[in-house]
């Protein structure tokens, strides 16, 4: 029986969908790497993604353009990030409370607008999602081709963003400033770096990445919008960042871990393995949490993590 | 030509500066002038307003009133960026460095990159090494800040300011954390910079420094400018002290280097990890006798904090022994040390010393809740009585025992801690930096109380980075370096020798026990 299941083609399709399923974790995690490096813990990523999913879906539904959908997800993700920025940076609110509040608000807003735009229909409206983009030649390599080079364009872009994010954080003045305002905002300030400006930017970048990932869910991974479309991925992404010790490349491994667990769950379920459905659904989350707990012990948080900055305070 | 123009004017002129924080007037109508090519002292007690005045010059605070002229031109210094662009640099009392970053990364933070949006790491590193050489310093630009000694971190700060093109360099209490030899090195660098025509502002409350390096000095007291003096060979310490404190001060504690009592606390081959899991103490041994003050000198961060925490049971011990009389107390919970009469004045009043948000009364009985109960409930009457007597005995200035600890001045906060720690007549007192950040009056008071405790028969371990304090109070002086005792010297030892040991050097000629 087992030998029937664990065939080569099983593994190939498992790994291919691992990469696909890692994408909506990877993107927001990369965005939150910026945000958290700047000292802001934004717990409203989940809602931001849901908003991105609605915005992307609606834009694509009415314009027919998938790219407009992604763009719309990014714009609305950023706008929703603005709320977090105002609350946590300008008003210096407690970040955990601000994040949780915005999470509840955002989930409500997303569904509200979906209803306003589409009404209540017996069959959910659908769009034509991103098509698989086979990379010439590479996709023809046996096994490897299927695993790595037969995805839609957003998946490729997400993985390219790992390198881009790493490069920005490690090699540019912008990245250094982002890290500085999270590490020692007072020092950054005394060197003429506007702490508030860079924290705003870091939060907005996080919003853009999350919005894009939300749109990916509704027009890249699925072709519809549902209330629970994000399904906790936003929260997983937030913790992946910590698990990854705020490093983009490690964040990719974290996302892939979640991806492989999700893929395994789907495969095994499809094969009709006789385990309670609910338990199977838990698998990716449970695995991720265990990994996080084990790995994040060693995490060295940015020194000013979750601490609002004011020049006046000593 | 440019130099000529520059020299016609004062590098800095601050006129009628007023700055208020809530109800405190930190600067009250202060005038402050600094010439180019000079070293200017800014002298005053803790809380006199020195840092505030310089933060205004550096654009961190904006004054309520007053005008600032840089090289003769009126300027509105609205931010540090503006100050930097005007050629003002500042080395803060608490260093402004991102600790996980390398030196060169910290330096690049404050500059435009030559490669646009990309970091110009290599070029900056090369420049830094050259600049450091010019001013007789040595650095490795790729070392991470957390690996550096305090003195090295300070050099990084100075280099950063110079690299940003500082012509006016402000140093806020730069010598507080240095060994005597490091201070000499710093002064060497400062003289070099003065010869380059730069204006240097040296904030301090140490008179020796003023007399040894400064050309002119401005004295602040309680936020007001008291006077401005040209320093020459006729300038005396007592004249400056009087300006600074408003009265004569004599730090004279009639210490007689007494023969000490019997061994009370014995520490043997201690190994303790710091927060980063490196060995902070590595084979540390020391005895403390009853009725003595054992001064532990050393540069901050050589294991002092970990030592105090290990003795009092706050930090686990990897190996070695701590014995009180003959009883082993290592790795016992803190309550054991408390019950055996070991008191602790921790280094950080605000984090370990007090529960800042709590009332003074509760802070007073933190360690003795059990003794202040009746039928298992808190006995308010008894606590009130203890507070009343503590307030009188320790001269604590507060409206009532219900005030929260955070509303008191540093000196009064420290008195609350003294009342708690000394009220129980300890057999051992661990005092870690007991006068750090206090004004002269409070410092005198705390030192006297420590001497009284010794008179009471307590064995005192006095940890201090302030050599003067160690020399004034200690019956024996031990020097810690890199988690080990470098040597134990009798009281009245030569400062130079202590300084050598503080830097980890062995003494060439051992001083004889007197
Ligand atoms: N950010 C601040 N908020 C409130 N009070 C402050 C602040 N900075 C300084 N003060 C107060 O102003 C006075 C002067 O402080 P400071 O300039 O730090 O003195 P100094 O550097 O001479 O020791 C003190 O009474 C201090 O408590
Ligand atoms: Mg100061």
């Amino acid at each position: 029986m087992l030998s029937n299941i664990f065939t080569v083609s099983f593994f190939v399709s498992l790994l291919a969908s691992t990469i696909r399923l890692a994408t909506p974790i990877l993107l927001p995690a990369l965005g939150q790497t910026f945000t958290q490096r700047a000292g802001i813990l934004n717990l409203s990523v989940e809602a931001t993604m849901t908003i991105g999913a609605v915005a992307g879906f609606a834009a694509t539904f009415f314009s027919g353009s998938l790219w407009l959908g992604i763009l719309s997800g990014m714009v609305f993700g950023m706008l929703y990030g603005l709320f977090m920025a105002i609350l946590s940076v300008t008003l210096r609110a407690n970040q955990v409370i601000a994040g949780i509040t915005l999470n509840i608000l955002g989930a409500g807003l997303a569904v509200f607008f979906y209803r306003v735009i589409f009404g209540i229909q017996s069959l959910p409206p659908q769009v034509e999602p991103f098509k698989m983009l086979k990379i010439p030649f590479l996709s023809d390599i046996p096994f490897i081709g299927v695993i790595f080079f037969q995805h839609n364009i957003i998946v490729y872009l997400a993985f390219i963003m790992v390198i881009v994010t790493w490069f920005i954080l490690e090699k540019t003045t912008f990245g250094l400033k982002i890290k500085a305002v999270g590490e020692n905002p007072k020092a950054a300030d005394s060197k003429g770096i506007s702490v508030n400006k860079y924290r705003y930017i870091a939060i907005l970048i996080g919003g853009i990445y999350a919005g894009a990932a939300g749109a990916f869910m509704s027009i890249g991974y699925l072709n519809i919008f549902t209330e629970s479309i994000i399904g906790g991925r936003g929260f997983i992404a937030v913790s992946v960042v910590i698990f990854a010790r705020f490093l983009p490349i490690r964040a990719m491994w974290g996302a892939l871990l979640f991806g492989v667990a999700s893929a395994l769950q789907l495969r095994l379920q499809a094969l009709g393995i006789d385990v309670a459905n609910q338990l199977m659904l838990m698998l990716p989350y449970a695995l991720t949490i265990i990994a996080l707990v084990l790995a994040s012990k060693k995490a060295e948080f940015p020194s000013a993590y979750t601490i609002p900055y004011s020049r006046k305070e000593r | 030509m440019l130099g000529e123009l520059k020299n016609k004017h004062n590098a800095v002129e601050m006129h009628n500066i007023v700055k208020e924080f809530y109800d405190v007037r930190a600067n009250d109508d202060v005038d402050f002038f600094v010439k180019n090519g000079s070293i200017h002292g800014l002298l005053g007690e803790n809380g006199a307003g020195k840092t505030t005045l310089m933060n205004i010059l550096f654009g961190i605070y904006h004054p309520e009133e007053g005008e600032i002229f840089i090289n003769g031109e009126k300027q509105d210094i609205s931010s540090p960026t503006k100050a930097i662009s005007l050629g003002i640099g500042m080395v803060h009392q608490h260093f402004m460095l991102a600790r996980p970053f390398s030196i060169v990364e910290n330096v690049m933070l404050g500059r435009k990159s030559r490669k646009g949006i990309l970091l110009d790491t290599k070029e900056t590193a090369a420049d830094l090494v050259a600049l450091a050489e010019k001013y007789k310093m040595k650095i490795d630009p790729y070392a991470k800040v957390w690996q550096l000694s305090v003195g090295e971190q300070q050099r990084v700060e100075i280099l950063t300011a110079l690299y940003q093109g500082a012509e006016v360099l402000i140093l806020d209490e730069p010598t507080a954390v240095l060994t005597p030899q490091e201070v000499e090195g710093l002064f060497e660098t400062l003289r070099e910079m003065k010869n380059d025509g730069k204006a240097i502002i040296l904030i301090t409350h140490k008179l020796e420094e003023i007399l040894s390096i400064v050309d002119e000095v401005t004295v602040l007291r309680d936020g007001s400018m008291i006077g401005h003096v040209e320093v020459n060979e006729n300038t005396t310490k007592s004249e400056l002290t009087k300006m600074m404190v408003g009265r004569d001060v004599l730090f004279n504690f009639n210490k007689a280097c007494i023969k000490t009592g019997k061994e009370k606390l014995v520490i043997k081959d201690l190994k303790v990890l710091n927060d980063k899991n490196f060995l902070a103490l590595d084979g540390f041994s020391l005895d403390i006798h009853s009725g003595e003050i054992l001064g532990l000198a050393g540069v901050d961060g050589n294991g002092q904090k970990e030592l105090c925490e290990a003795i009092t049971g706050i930090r686990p011990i990897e190996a070695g022994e701590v014995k009180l009389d003959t009883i082993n107390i290592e790795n016992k919970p803190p309550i054991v040390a408390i019950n055996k009469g070991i008191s602790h004045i921790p280094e950080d009043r605000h984090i370990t010393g007090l529960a800042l948000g709590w009332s003074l009364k509760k802070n007073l009985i933190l360690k003795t809740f059990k003794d202040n109960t009746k039928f298992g409930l808190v006995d308010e009457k008894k606590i009130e009585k203890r507070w009343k007597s503590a307030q009188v005995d320790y001269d604590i200035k507060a409206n009532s025992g219900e005030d929260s600890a955070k509303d008191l001045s540093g000196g009064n906060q420290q008195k609350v801690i003294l009342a708690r720690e000394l009220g129980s007549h300890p057999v051992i007192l661990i005092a870690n930096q007991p006068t750090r950040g206090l004004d002269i009056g409070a410092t005198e008071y705390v030192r006297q109380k420590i001497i009284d405790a010794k008179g009471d028969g307590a064995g005192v371990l006095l940890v201090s980075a302030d050599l003067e304090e160690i020399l004034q109070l200690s019956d024996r002086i031990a020097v810690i370096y890199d988690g080990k005792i470098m040597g134990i010297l009798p009281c009245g030892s030569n400062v130079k020798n202590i300084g050598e040991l503080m830097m980890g050097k062995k003494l060439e000629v051992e001083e004889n026990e007197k």
Side-chain angles (χ1 to χ4, degrees):
Chain A
M1 156 89 184
L2 276 184
S3 57
N4 290 343
I5 297 174
F6 296 113
T7 57
V8 170
S9 78
F10 171 85
F11 281 111
V12 167
S13 80
L14 179 79
L15 291 179
S17 59
T18 293
I19 286 182
R20 202 156 28 248
L21 285 159
T23 302
I25 301 289
L26 179 58
L27 268 178
L30 290 175
Q32 291 311 301
T33 301
F34 283 103
T35 311
Q36 296 195 15
R37 272 291 177 97
I40 306 283
L41 173 64
N42 184 356
L43 288 176
S44 68
V45 178
E46 180 84 9
T48 312
M49 288 176 74
T50 317
I51 285 173
V54 173
F57 183 80
T60 300
F61 186 86
F62 290 111
S63 72
S65 159
L66 288 162
W67 287 110
L68 216 56
I70 293 291
L71 185 70
S72 159
M74 288 163 72
V75 168
F76 281 90
M78 182 180 80
L79 286 178
Y80 201 64
L82 196 57
F83 281 107
M84 183 64 189
I86 292 170
L87 283 177
S88 63
V89 179
T90 306
L91 300 177
R92 311 180 60 238
N94 178 303
Q95 292 175 14
V96 172
I97 294 175
I100 290 177
T101 311
L102 285 178
N103 216 13
I104 297 168
L105 176 71
L109 279 178
V111 175
F112 172 76
F113 279 110
Y114 180 75
R115 291 275 156 74
V116 167
I117 297 168
F118 296 101
I120 296 181
Q121 305 183 1
S122 51
L123 270 181
Q126 297 187 353
V127 295
E128 188 63 33
F130 276 100
K131 289 234 161 43
M132 184 200 292
L133 178 69
K134 286 193 185 176
I135 309 276
F137 308 117
L138 291 177
S139 61
D140 297 333
I141 305 173
F143 311 131
I144 304 283
V146 177
I147 296 173
F148 292 107
F149 301 108
Q150 297 191 9
H151 296 289
N152 74 40
I153 179 128
I154 306 297
V155 176
Y156 301 128
L157 286 177
F159 280 85
I160 290 171
M161 288 314 283
V162 176
I163 304 300
V164 173
T165 303
W166 169 83
F167 185 83
I168 293 176
L169 280 173
E170 296 305 322
K171 298 289 170 193
T172 69
T173 56
F174 174 77
L176 191 65
K177 287 173 185 173
I178 291 279
K179 289 187 285 184
V181 300
E183 200 52 60
N184 190 341
K186 220 171 193 147
D189 193 9
S190 80
K191 301 232 160 81
I193 296 163
S194 163
V195 176
N196 284 4
K197 176 174 136 191
Y198 281 93
R199 287 195 164 173
Y200 257 79
I201 294 176
I203 297 173
L204 296 187
I205 291 178
I208 292 172
Y209 277 66
F216 170 80
M217 284 305 292
S218 61
I219 63 177
Y221 184 72
L222 301 173
N223 57 352
I224 54 165
F225 173 81
T226 72
E227 249 170 73
S228 57
I229 186 165
I230 304 304
R233 288 179 176 84
F235 286 110
I236 297 283
V238 169
S239 39
V240 159
V241 178
I242 300 167
F243 152 76
R245 292 183 221 156
F246 316 96
L247 300 171
I249 295 178
R250 289 181 60 108
M252 178 180 80
W253 295 117
L256 285 170
L257 175 75
F258 179 86
V260 79
S262 310
L264 199 62
Q265 179 260 122
L266 288 175
R267 296 294 113 159
L268 293 181
Q269 224 177 48
L271 286 171
I273 299 263
D274 189 20
V275 178
N277 186 20
Q278 287 80 358
L279 278 181
M280 295 295 284
L281 282 172
M282 263 172 53
L283 183 68
Y285 299 95
L287 256 182
T288 313
I289 288 169
I290 291 168
L292 290 178
V293 169
L294 292 180
S296 64
K297 263 193 200 148
K298 286 194 222 121
E300 282 232 18
F301 288 84
S303 305
Y305 199 61
T306 75
I307 303 172
Y309 176 67
S310 148
R311 202 178 267 178
K312 285 245 161 56
E313 251 162 52
R314 287 181 290 179
Chain B
M1 168 70 193
L2 214 137
E4 237 172 79
L5 248 181
K6 228 172 82 176
N7 276 329
K8 272 210 319 232
H9 297 286
N10 282 325
V12 174
E13 289 193 13
M14 300 176 81
H15 293 271
N16 308 101
I17 301 293
V18 174
K19 175 72 197 172
E20 284 175 346
F21 294 107
Y22 315 104
D23 48 353
V24 184
R25 252 193 181 212
N27 286 156
D28 190 0
D29 201 20
V30 174
D31 290 330
F32 182 66
F33 301 162
V34 181
K35 297 196 181 89
N36 276 307
S38 78
I39 301 181
H40 194 111
L42 183 54
L43 183 67
E45 283 208 73
N46 276 306
K50 309 178 295 288
T51 300
T52 304
L53 187 68
M54 289 303 105
N55 277 340
I56 290 171
L57 180 57
F58 194 58
I60 292 178
Y61 298 143
H62 209 251
E64 267 85 45
E65 283 171 41
E67 292 182 325
I68 301 176
F69 296 83
I70 304 297
N71 283 319
E73 264 182 60
K74 186 168 182 242
Q75 301 287 357
D76 176 26
I77 306 181
S78 49
S79 68
T81 321
K82 182 72 190 285
I84 292 166
S85 73
L86 292 169
I88 302 170
M90 181 157 177
V91 176
H92 298 265
Q93 197 167 358
H94 306 287
F95 297 146
M96 298 285 187
L97 295 169
R99 293 173 60 80
F101 286 19
S102 66
I103 292 180
V104 59
E105 283 174 324
N106 269 288
V107 171
M108 286 189 296
L109 264 183
R111 299 187 73 249
K112 260 209 146 53
S113 165
R114 275 158 287 200
K115 290 191 185 162
I117 63 164
L118 299 183
L119 290 169
D120 52 350
T121 313
K122 264 195 204 129
E123 292 85 342
T124 310
D127 287 355
L128 266 186
V129 171
L131 188 66
E133 236 156 61
K134 176 170 176 211
Y135 289 106
K136 306 201 161 98
M137 299 184 254
K138 250 180 113 172
I139 56 153
D140 165 16
Y142 296 105
K144 303 268 190 234
V145 168
W146 64 265
Q147 298 171 317
L148 303 181
S149 75
V150 189
E152 289 170 318
Q153 292 181 28
Q154 185 175 65
R155 267 168 257 159
V156 176
E157 290 274 42
I158 294 174
L159 282 173
T160 310
L162 291 176
Y163 198 47
Q164 287 175 331
E167 288 300 316
V168 177
L169 183 66
I170 307 163
L171 298 130
D172 195 348
E173 311 235 5
T175 60
V177 292
L178 302 182
T179 63
Q181 281 82 353
E182 283 176 318
V183 171
E184 225 4 87
L186 169 68
F187 284 0
E188 202 57 45
T189 303
L190 295 187
R191 288 193 192 103
E192 202 80 27
M193 286 159 48
K194 166 179 148 180
N195 293 339
D196 273 4
K198 296 185 196 294
I200 293 145
I201 302 171
L202 184 71
I203 304 185
T204 182
H205 57 246
K206 294 188 184 164
L207 300 163
E208 288 82 8
E209 289 169 7
I210 297 285
L211 295 178
S212 71
I213 187 172
V214 158
D215 300 309
E216 289 173 59
V217 57
T218 300
V219 183
L220 290 184
R221 190 202 313 154
D222 286 338
S224 306
M225 199 200 80
I226 298 301
H228 173 254
V229 181
E230 289 219 12
V231 179
N232 51 38
E233 54 282 10
N234 298 326
T235 319
T236 64
K237 264 194 192 182
S238 62
E239 161 191 1
L240 293 175
T241 315
K242 211 157 180 183
M243 288 174 81
M244 176 161 91
V245 190
R247 64 186 163 91
D248 289 310
V249 179
L250 274 180
F251 276 131
N252 197 349
F253 291 108
N254 281 333
K255 171 176 48 76
C257 290
I258 49 156
K259 261 267 168 280
T260 57
K262 64 175 182 31
E263 276 178 9
K264 191 74 186 169
L265 187 76
V266 179
I267 301 164
K268 236 167 96 188
D269 297 326
L270 215 55
K271 284 190 200 274
V272 174
L273 297 179
N274 66 10
D275 295 338
K276 284 207 181 288
N277 280 334
F278 295 127
L279 275 178
L281 294 180
D282 187 5
F284 180 98
S285 301
L286 194 64
D287 314 326
I288 298 162
H289 300 217
S290 292
E292 75 162 344
I293 296 180
L294 175 59
L296 185 63
V299 177
D300 265 357
N302 274 290
Q304 294 97 322
K305 175 173 158 235
E306 289 81 3
L307 172 67
C308 297
E309 292 181 352
I311 296 173
T312 49
I314 308 173
R315 185 176 288 271
I317 292 167
E318 303 300 312
E321 280 188 306
V322 181
K323 275 201 231 176
L324 187 69
D325 294 322
T326 50
I327 303 160
N328 282 65
I329 57 164
E330 70 270 0
N331 282 329
K332 296 268 162 42
I335 190 72
V336 173
I338 293 171
N339 288 340
K340 292 208 176 299
I342 299 181
S343 279
H344 182 200
I345 302 174
E347 161 182 59
D348 193 315
R349 280 193 284 288
H350 293 153
I351 295 171
T352 325
L354 293 168
L356 276 189
W358 277 20
S359 69
L360 300 176
K361 273 196 220 164
K362 279 194 195 155
N363 270 296
L364 187 64
I365 57 146
L366 259 183
K367 284 183 165 178
T368 48
F369 257 109
K370 269 206 190 127
D371 308 340
N372 290 287
T373 53
K374 208 173 173 180
F375 314 122
L377 299 175
V378 176
D379 183 352
E380 290 289 350
K381 271 203 200 115
K382 195 166 171 189
I383 295 173
E384 176 67 23
K385 233 168 83 195
R386 274 208 56 191
W387 160 250
K388 279 268 150 65
S389 74
Q391 189 175 18
V392 176
D393 291 352
Y394 290 86
D395 189 27
I396 301 167
K397 295 205 176 58
N399 296 325
S400 87
E402 292 301 331
D403 288 2
S404 49
K406 66 169 178 291
D407 295 333
L408 297 196
S409 73
N412 280 301
Q413 289 178 340
Q414 196 72 330
K415 286 177 183 176
V416 175
I417 295 177
L418 285 176
R420 182 180 69 217
E421 300 298 329
L422 298 180
S424 56
H425 300 284
V427 296
I428 291 288
L429 172 66
I430 312 288
N432 192 358
Q433 312 286 359
T435 61
R436 178 175 280 174
L438 302 186
D439 63 31
I440 290 189
T443 300
E444 269 182 297
Y445 187 90
V446 171
R447 289 181 184 169
Q448 191 55 55
K449 281 289 175 194
I450 290 175
I451 289 172
D452 292 351
K454 154 183 141 179
D456 242 12
V460 181
L461 176 66
L462 171 68
V463 180
S464 181
D466 182 352
L467 258 188
E468 218 174 309
E469 176 162 277
I470 296 269
L471 288 169
Q472 277 172 2
L473 298 186
S474 309
D475 299 305
R476 291 191 295 151
I477 300 167
V479 182
I480 186 172
Y481 174 79
D482 206 11
K484 287 190 194 68
I485 289 289
M486 292 304 294
I488 299 180
L489 304 173
C491 91
S493 293
N494 186 330
V495 183
K496 251 233 154 81
N497 286 344
I498 301 176
E500 296 271 318
L501 293 175
M502 283 168 73
M503 292 191 302
K505 293 186 187 144
K506 288 261 187 289
L507 286 190
E508 278 166 26
V509 198
E510 288 285 328
E511 268 194 60
N512 293 320
E513 290 268 346
K514 282 177 204 155

